[in-house]
Amino acid sequence: MYDLQKIRNDFPILGREVYGRPLVYFDNGATTQKPRSVVEAMTNEYLNVNANVHRGVHFLSQQATDLHEQARETVRRFINASSVSEVIFTRGTTESINLVASSFGQAFIKDGDEIIITAMEHHSNIVPWQLLQSRVEVKLRVCPVSDDGRLDLDALARLFTSRTRLVACTAVSNVLGTVNPIADIVRMAHAHDVPVLVDAAQSTPHMAVDVQSLDCDFLAFSGHKVYGPTGIGVLYGKERWLDRMPPYMGGGEMIGKVSFEHTTFNVLPYKFEAGTPDYVATTGLACALDYVSALGFDAIGSHERSLTAYARQQLSQIPGMRFFGPSDDAVISFLVGDIHHLDLGTLLDRLGIAVRTGHHCAEPLMHRLGIEGTVRASFALYNTFEEVDLFIAALQRVVAMF
Ligand code: PLP
């Protein structure tokens, strides 16, 4: 039983009003709201447990360390990694991808090598590779996107050469709502002995992830997009790659022995975790993952898919409606006639509807689509059909003004 009212009661913010109207929060692709259990677990840790992890012999430090390492085990279970050594805590998807670009780049990418990305990547899966270009002459090869918002897999197959060193691809487009066939892409890349990094920022909130069955080599996601706190995320990496990659940052925690002449490094995953980690956020993240796991992705996915289909069907009744992408997942990007996306978003806001407008950190995709930006409604496990009705009514009002 998917008890939506009970779920909504877990998210106090959903009960608030904006401009005297009930809030309709459809900006979940940017960040999700937090259940009370996440906030309470973090508050409890600050009020009753707080001490720095890993280095203390005293009671609180050990308790904080236990919570932190239990959180790592929760993440391991959530993504079905084979070992906690493969679970690195970062600040989020962006840092996870930068870590791979920097460290994998240093170990495995030489002048003349190539990396394959796609035309639907978020800037955080484009710019780190461009930064790498300032150190080595690595070529970015870009898999094209079709007019209906899907990857052209035949074109992708043709991009592989003997110099391809990595494929970095999003699991779900934050603009188009396209769910990419990651397992097929991994198989294609592995046939060329090329590892694959999956940007799972937009998939982890909506569908189960199993890194062993996907067989991906790296996977990145952000806590705040999956009902957890900001400032915490995960990089999963296969041990056989991580072992051969140099540290990303230097400092405490990531060392074995230090002298002025020579430093040795800690074992995985600590080799990649310099400095005091956000151990309170890891507790919050674990709590959020437990929350979605208890509901189950079958139930979450089925609710979100019917909500998305209903919203898209209702939107399609509005004259001048133009959709961008297939909305396989809980994301709908659209424009209405030639009304500017910013005007639509601003006026919707005044009616209590929170949507996102603009290029959604995917400017190259906007160029491909020949537009400057879209309005994006993105749904979460707590959104309702009544909220969709409010959204549609508000949009009809806004459109009528033009
Ligand atoms: N990748 C995708 C597909 C995203 O949608 C986002 C955020 O919107 C990111 C990466 C970056 O996530 P973060 O800002 O949490 O690092």
Side-chain angles (χ1 to χ4, degrees):
M1 245 305 268
Y2 199 74
D3 188 343
L4 205 45
Q5 197 45 57
K6 183 163 171 294
I7 290 171
R8 287 179 70 83
N9 290 341
D10 293 334
F11 294 82
I13 202 170
L14 299 177
R16 72 164 289 184
E17 295 190 340
V18 293
Y19 310 111
R21 295 171 186 275
L23 167 72
V24 174
Y25 186 77
F26 283 172
D27 192 18
N28 297 284
T31 200
T32 49
Q33 302 301 347
K34 319 304 169 198
R36 197 186 303 271
S37 58
V38 167
V39 180
E40 284 176 356
M42 294 173 70
T43 305
N44 174 57
E45 186 161 348
Y46 273 129
L47 293 180
N48 297 306
V49 182
N50 182 53
N52 208 334
V53 292
H54 292 145
R55 315 167 190 161
V57 288
H58 61 82
F59 186 88
L60 288 187
S61 174
Q62 288 180 11
Q63 207 174 4
T65 304
D66 286 348
L67 283 172
H68 183 62
E69 292 305 326
Q70 280 162 20
R72 199 188 302 276
E73 168 57 21
T74 302
V75 173
R76 186 205 64 73
R77 217 178 321 119
F78 185 75
I79 60 173
N80 194 31
S82 54
S83 153
V84 285
S85 304
E86 300 180 322
V87 176
I88 298 161
F89 286 123
T90 64
R91 286 190 299 125
T93 309
T94 302
E95 188 179 34
S96 297
I97 298 173
N98 275 276
L99 191 163
V100 176
S102 164
S103 178
F104 180 92
Q106 211 176 315
F108 296 108
I109 296 181
K110 309 272 176 298
D111 284 347
D113 285 346
E114 298 172 359
I115 292 171
I116 298 177
I117 59 171
T118 85
M120 63 168 78
E121 297 310 312
H122 188 278
H123 294 164
S124 63
N125 198 22
I126 301 173
V127 183
W129 309 111
Q130 291 174 331
L131 294 180
L132 183 61
Q133 286 176 322
S134 65
R135 300 215 315 258
V136 286
E137 277 174 34
V138 57
K139 191 167 169 194
L140 280 187
R141 311 204 68 192
V142 183
C143 172
V145 172
S146 66
D147 289 340
D148 58 354
R150 298 207 178 272
L151 291 179
D152 180 341
L153 295 182
D154 293 332
L156 176 62
R158 290 192 295 272
L159 291 179
F160 287 88
T161 72
S162 62
R163 300 308 300 262
T164 311
R165 293 292 169 262
L166 185 76
V167 175
C169 176
T170 192
V172 172
S173 162
N174 65 313
V175 178
L176 308 167
T178 316
V179 176
N180 288 324
I182 291 296
D184 294 342
I185 293 170
V186 170
R187 265 193 299 277
M188 189 190 290
H190 284 182
H192 295 270
D193 275 335
V194 172
V196 177
L197 178 150
V198 180
D199 173 350
Q202 294 294 340
S203 64
T204 39
H206 307 294
M207 57 196 74
V209 52
D210 181 332
V211 290
Q212 291 189 73
S213 80
L214 275 181
D215 200 24
C216 58
D217 301 271
F218 301 99
L219 181 134
F221 71 95
S222 299
H224 71 97
K225 292 195 196 279
V226 58
Y227 311 100
T230 48
I232 193 74
V234 170
L235 173 68
Y236 158 80
K238 280 184 184 164
E239 238 175 287
R240 69 186 193 89
W241 290 113
L242 295 177
D243 265 340
R244 290 184 287 158
M245 286 159 50
Y248 170 55
M249 290 198 289
E253 300 270 345
M254 53 72 75
I255 50 89
K257 292 252 176 271
V258 179
S259 72
F260 286 120
E261 290 72 38
H262 183 63
T263 292
T264 60
F265 303 126
N266 206 340
V267 294
L268 291 174
Y270 309 109
K271 180 172 91 172
F272 292 106
E273 294 181 350
T276 299
D278 194 341
Y279 51 83
V280 175
T282 55
T283 299
L285 173 62
C287 206
L289 299 184
D290 284 342
Y291 186 91
V292 288
S293 301
L295 286 176
F297 278 109
D298 286 346
I300 294 170
S302 132
H303 171 68
E304 290 176 343
R305 277 191 302 275
S306 25
L307 200 66
T308 309
Y310 175 67
R312 195 155 155 138
Q313 197 274 330
Q314 293 295 308
L315 283 169
S316 67
Q317 312 291 315
I318 294 178
M321 177 60 56
R322 286 194 286 157
F323 292 113
F324 298 90
S327 303
D328 304 326
D329 196 45
V331 172
I332 303 179
S333 262
F334 64 91
L335 288 171
V336 185
D338 57 4
I339 308 173
H340 198 275
H341 50 85
L342 194 58
D343 293 336
L344 286 173
T346 308
L347 292 169
L348 281 171
D349 172 58
R350 286 284 156 172
L351 298 172
I353 317 287
V355 291
R356 189 143 292 243
T357 64
H359 56 57
H360 314 296
C361 296
E363 280 194 71
L365 178 60
M366 296 298 123
H367 298 155
R368 161 67 183 86
L369 299 171
I371 53 178
E372 270 179 37
T374 72
V375 180
R376 181 185 73 181
S378 52
F379 309 109
L381 55 81
Y382 40 63
N383 287 127
T384 67
F385 288 80
E386 292 72 30
E387 287 181 308
V388 172
D389 290 339
L390 286 174
F391 165 52
I392 300 294
L395 186 60
Q396 279 164 341
R397 241 181 99 176
V398 168
V399 171
M401 289 180 199
F402 284 87

